[in-house]
Structures are given as structure tokens and as C-alpha cells.
Amino acid sequence: MARDEDRSGDVEKRRAARHLPFDAATLRGDTWNDLKYCAHWLTDAVRLGLDEAEPRARIRSALELLLILESYWCWPGRQTVAELTALHEQAQHESLDRRCAQIVRHLTAQGVPAIAEEPEEAATAADAPAPAAAARPAAPPPDRRPRFTLLVVDRLSEADQRELRAGLLGARRDDDPFIYDVLVAPTFEDAVIAVLFNPTVQSCVIRGNFPFLSENRHEALEHYLQLMRALDPPRTYGVARSFTLAQVVRQLRPEVDRFLVTDAPLEEVSTHGSAEFQRVFHRLDNYLELHLSVIKGVASRYDTPFFTALREYSKRPTGVFHALPISRGKSIVNSRWIRDMGEFYGMNIFLAETSATSGGLDSLLQPLGPLKRAQQFAARAFGGRRSFFVTNGTSTANKIVMQALIRPGDVVLVSRDCHKSIHYAIVTAGAHVVYLDPYPLRDYSMYGAVPLEEILRHLRLFKEAGTLDRVRMIVLTNCTFDGVTYDPLRIMREVLAVKPDMIFHWDEAWFAFAAFDPLLRQRTGMAAAARLRSMLRGESSRQEYERDRSPGEAAAMPDPGAARVRVYVTQSTHKTLTALRQGSMIHVYDEDFDQKASESFSEAYLTHTSTSPNYQILASLDLGRRQVELEGYELVQRSIGLAMALRRRIYEHPVLRQFFQVLRPADLIPEAYRPSGIEFYFDPDEGWARMDRAWALDEFVLDPTRVNVQVGLTGMDGDTFKNLLMDRFQIQINKTSRNSALFMTNIGMTRGDVAYLVECLIAIARDVSERVAESSALDRRTHEARVASLIHACPPLPNFSRFHGAFRRDDGAPTTEGDMRKAFFLAYDERACEFVKMDAALLAAVEGGAEYVSAGFVTPYPPGFPVLAPGQVISWEILRYLMMLDVKEIHGYQPHYGLRVFRPEALRAAAPLSIAELPMLNLEG
């Protein structure tokens, strides 16, 4: 692995850093908890006359660290740390003890770090005498308005900071929908750290001629500065530095509003352009205008047009004279037999049910009001040009995109491990498919992703055959279920250099959350599309293209005059963000949408979208978008941290590491695709790896929120292990392979969830250890044989074989596309098909040259995608793989009958004919 080369080269510093938590947020929480523990320890030690040296030393160390970390938070903040330091130095142990307990209680309110109350209220001395009961004033009701942090970047004295806070906080009004606290960052680097370390920052006011370098230096903060350095911001000065900082903030956290306050002449400001800022203020002599602008910016993200309209509709005393008895809940409350339905779900869900699009609501099929605005907000949040809501899952979203953009006879390049909806969409559209083989991971019975060279190889074949014009679209899964993630920018750039009009469809069903993390975002289809367009439409793009061209060689960059950015992303919002089941989105970044796709997309959308969409799903998509625009960064950061904590615990726990092994990037991504050299995310000896290097350099990277654990050493296959987790511990997981189980952290999880999972894994490991230790010699050999089978005898993973000649173009071309639709509908005629038993005789026949052609999709779970497609020749490798599988669920295979294949005479008759002629075939006898 490539070692983390820090600037100092200090080996001791790196060795100490490996004991730190993965992120600064966890370090902050752990340090406050340790301070509370040590303060209580010191109190007891003083009271009981015990040794005070160790708790005193740990308190000093914690306070020194917190003085750095709290520089980026309003509360508790540096002032509180200074007060605690004074209590410690004055030997006021009990006051320190009580104060630390109070702070930690507020910090962990509801299980997440929070600004729990007004800083001035929270700073009240814990040991202040309480007023007499008669004199105690009534406590004001707690302020339940959402609260955030306003970051001001300026080098200010303490007095100037107090004046600034007083001016801004004095502008707050009782009818403001939100409240905020003011945090001052004195330097460029401090501002970047604050934006990334403190997720409550929602607005950033940049003013003054601030320095670049921060005085705070700590290993836990270095990760944030690495993200900044990867953007390579120039060392500008004066007002140019303000614009540079705004650009960095936009790239790292695009949802954060940015305001400029400057004394520079208007001409100088206009030279840099004002697009980086929501508004520019010349001198801050009116705090109210700035305050109103800050509130307005947050309100624009808080706005949920459709949810608000639906909520208002539910409050109206509406008379229902349309088809939907459940509307207003009357068919439930007036029933003697299903009233428990209303008790279980509550009445609001029924009050918000309607089949009408009037009364302030909107039509999903032709949105003009709140639904249209909600989809526009979604496009803003996810970085697209357009977004569309889908109420019956990403399976339908995939079908909409495919039908809208491909025509019968078009060639589509498809990763063979794509979701089954892609394969069925190809059949429906009548496209000819070229299946791309992902690299195999034989040791774990799973596939990785499709290498770029595999894609380019097929494109070169079409180019050599003179049929490149038939290729229209490429479909890839980003990221895969197991977490292998593509580099969309690189793929799209190099593919467009060969075929400048290629359309890209990225199935990001499990990757919606990535748009809200600065590291993961760069690997999303929408972010890559925006970067690609900027690259192709930049002023120097033509010169770069001409410079990079070499005589006789393919261009490294697409021709800016010919290439078009046409990118579609489908997302299962409900899988990784907050939305009701089947709530999905389509995001579009297509330069030619209006001219070439608008009408066909509308028709496809109407074809697959219900005329009675579930309004609750639509409202949840609107709310899910609000959540990620306001706290998505915080939630995704937490889920990554939890996944890293789980990795670390399994690596370090002596019982867990005997039976469970976390699969590393080196296990799931071959070395050839990892030029960064990264092998792991955490190692007990080396500590945390540089993820940012891998995400910048490698062809494939591993989504950190997916923790794949090899469980074969327990003697249990993945399916058995999955059932044990559910039946005994009520823990649900989605995916297993023959010898592994996938654990996914999401934005709703807490540290308690991970702690419980670790406890359950420890219990399983101890049970296995005890059972093996107490078993007989024969039972022990049986267990060892089972483990060896799971670890070392995994079935080979076959590649796609080929389409039979009856379903291919008969022109001798070297390309491999097949007409799957023709095969699919030929199988509707039962006379064209027969069954063959999947046994040793069939295996020997195939090995001897006999040819059998699949009449349908055959999909084992796992891996969950077709290993056979209609019209595909059954190879010896595929047959052996199916025979070695020990999974219980194989769609398209009937054990009593065998594999469904085409009869030879059907293949002979079908070869020269079109699908329209198939019903006339004489297949008797």
C-alpha cells in the first residue's frame, strides 16, 4: 500500500494518529465524554484521598485538544473550554464535574451532536445557587425553531467579534422561521475546516482580507485540508481570496449559501463575477439586510412545495365525490371491522389521500404547480438540470429512461450485473444488447465492475465494423451492491473520445446519498456530467484537444465541437435517503434534452407512470430532498464514520477477528485498478488510509458505507448467517454471497446500532468457538471441511458466453450484440421450447460440443442478476456454476423440469425470420 506521506514525515506522529477515531466529529464526542469521565474520577480521587495524577493529566490533555476542536463550534466553544480550564486550575473539582456532565448531556441530546440551547444559557454556572421558589420566574418555553450556524470569515479582534454577533443576533425577529448562532473563522483554512467539521453551518459570510493558513494543527483536522488541497485553490489575495474561498466552499458543500461583504470597488468585484455568491454587500452597515438574506437562503432549501400543499389540503373539510373511498378516512372510521387500520396508521395519512389534482395539489403526469417546483428543487439538490419523481421504484425509472432514449435495433452496452429491470427494458424497447463482463471475485462468489478497457474494446469492434453509429447507450451500475464504484468522469470522457454522441445511463439505485459528501460526490453521474461539460465548454478546451491529439492515435479528450453531454441517473431515493418505499428519482444532465429527448421522455414517463400515483410517496420525496439539503452532509458523514467504526472493531476484537474478516479494497478491487496503492481503509498496525488518494486516482473505489464481511470461517454460508441474524437477533441485512454478508450503514443509524451489531457478532463467534472446542473429532473434521468448502472451493464465476446465431445479425461482423427481444417472444410459443435436466449428463454433453440455448432469464439469488438471458448459448462454465450453487432461490429455473431451452428446429426456423413472422412457424413434431 502507498503510505500516507504527511508533510513532516514524522513517523511518531503517524503512529499516534492510528489510535484516533476515523473523523474529527467522533474525536470531539469521545474527548468530551473522556473529560466528563476523568472529571468525575478526579472528584472521587480528591474525596477519597486517592492518586490524582492520572485523571489530572488526562483532563489537561482533553482540555488542550478541545481548545482546538471547539474553535469550529459555537457551543460549547472555546470560551466554555477556557472556563473549564479555569475551574480545573482553581481546583474546583466538583464544579468541573457537574459542568462537564451538563455539557455532555446537551451534546448528546437525541443521540446526535446538537446546539441544544442558547450559548449564553448553556454557559450558566452549574453550581450557581437556585433562587427561592417564590422568586423563581417562569421558565420561557423552549425554542423549537430549527437552528443553524452562520459562519463569518474575517480576522477580527474579540471586541469586533462581540460587536458583529450583537449586530447580527440583534437583527433576529420573533417571527423568523429559524434561528442561528454566529461562528467566526479568522483564516481561509479555518473557514474550510469549519464548513467540513461543523455540519450545522448553513450560511457563510466572507468579508475582510483574512490570512490563508490556520494556526490550529491537529491530525484529525488534516483530512479536511486534504480535501481542500485536492481542489488546488490558488493563493490569491485581497477580494480575489474571497472568491477563491467561495469556490472551494461551493465545491465541498454546494448547499451552503455564500455572501460577500466587501469594501472593494465595484469594478474589482465585477472582474471576478458575482456568480459564486447569493448576494454581495458593500460594507456591512445594515445587519438587517444580511440577516434577512441568510434566513431567505435557508428558507429556500427548507421549502417543500408538494408536502406543504398536501398538508394544507388535509386540513380542509373536503366533500369527496370521486373514486377513492379511503379518502378522508371515512371508509375506515365508519367501519365496524377495520377501525384498527386507522388506529395503526393515524388519520393524517387518510386525510391526505385524494385522486384529485385540484385544491392546491398537482398532477404527476403534467405538473404545473407544487410538484413541478418540488422536482426543480430536487434537481438543484442533486446537481442535475432536471429531476423527475417516480412512485413505483427504480425498476420503473430504468424502464422510463430506456424506452425514452433507445429504439428498436439500437445497440446498448450493458453491464451484465445490472438490475433485472434493465434487461427487461431492453426486451421491451427492442434494442440489441452487448453484455459487458465485470471482473470476477471468485473467492467471494461475487462480481466487481466493468473495466474501462472492456468498454473501449467493444466500441473499437463496432468502429472497425463500420457500425459505431448503431451504438446508442451504455448502462452501468454505480455503485454496485457490494460497493464497487466507477469513475464516471473518466469513463464518459474516454468513451466520448471514441463516440461523441453516446448516451450514459448510470443506475445509482444504492448511491443517492453520495451527492452530499464532498469525496463521494465526485463519483456520481450528475457531478461528473457537470465537470465534463465544464471541461468541454471551457475557453481552452479546443486548444487542449488539439494538443492532446497524437497522429494515428485516439484522442485522450473528446472533440469539444462534436461531443455532447447526455447523462441520465436513476436513483432509489428510498433505499439510502428518507422516502417511503418505492420513492425514486430520475436526474437528467442532457444538453440535447429539449431538442432530442423531451417528447420521447414524456411519452415513456406517461407509459410507465400510474395515473393514480401515491401522494404520500411524492410528499416523502419532497421532504427527503429538504433533509439532505439541510443536513445531508452531517448524516452521510455520520454513516461513513459508523461504517469505519465497525471495520475497526472487527479488526481489533480478538474474538471477532478469528471468524470474521472485513473485505478490503485490495480484496474487492484488483491491483491493476488501484494506482493509489490503497489496500485497506483501516489496519490495526497502520491506522487509517488516505481515502482521498484512491477516490482521485483509482479506476474503481470502494464505497465506505458498505462493510462486506467474510463469514465462511464460522462454517455458515451467507444465507444461513443472514437467517441467524434475523431469527436470533432481529438484525436485517439485504445481501449475502456464498461466504460473505454485507452490512450497510445509513443516515438513520446511531452508534448504538453498531454497538448492538458488534455484540451480536461477538455472541455468534463465541458460540462457534465453544461448539468447535466441545465437538468430537469427527464433528470437528466435518466443520473444517465445511469451512474449507466455503473459503477455498467457491464455484467459478462465468463470463457471458454469446448469443446464438438465430438472434444475431448475419453479416459476419465481429461485434457481439444480440436481439434478446426476438428470443424472449419466441419462448412464448411453448412448441419452441423444451426442458433439459441440469445434471452430469448435460454437463458432459455441453463439454462434448452439444449446443443448448436458454429460452429465458435464469437469475440466482445471490448474485441477483441473470447468468443466462433469452437467446444465450449455455456454456460449460455457466452450467457448472449453476450446478455448484447452493442457493435456494433461482428465478427462471424449475428443479422438477430443469432448464428451459429452445428446440433445435425452432432455432433453425427462427434464424432468417423477423419477430413478426414467428407465429407462422411450423414447429410440430
Side-chain angles (χ1 to χ4, degrees), residues 114-176:
I115 304 175
E117 51 184 292
E118 294 280 358
E120 57 269 25
E121 296 169 359
T124 303
D127 53 343
R136 184 181 296 129
D143 197 324
R144 300 299 183 188
R145 288 177 292 177
R147 189 175 199 133
F148 65 94
T149 297
L150 170 64
L151 177 67
V152 177
V153 187
D154 198 357
R155 181 171 53 182
L156 298 173
S157 65
E158 289 293 333
D160 289 338
Q161 288 190 39
R162 287 194 294 271
E163 179 186 349
L164 172 70
R165 287 192 177 93
L168 285 170
L169 299 183
R172 298 193 309 194
R173 300 173 300 173
D174 291 340
D175 60 349
D176 286 336

Side-chain angles (χ1 to χ4, degrees), residues 447-468:
Y447 287 87
V450 179
L452 176 59
E453 179 53 37
E454 166 80 353
I455 299 169
L456 297 177
R457 180 177 68 83
H458 283 281
L459 289 178
R460 287 193 290 266
L461 289 175
F462 279 97
K463 189 172 184 178
E464 292 166 7
T467 56
L468 189 60

Side-chain angles (χ1 to χ4, degrees), residues 571-584:
Q571 246 175 32
S572 292
T573 316
H574 66 99
K575 283 190 170 81
T576 63
L577 300 176
T578 300
L580 292 176
R581 187 77 166 168
Q582 294 195 332
S584 296

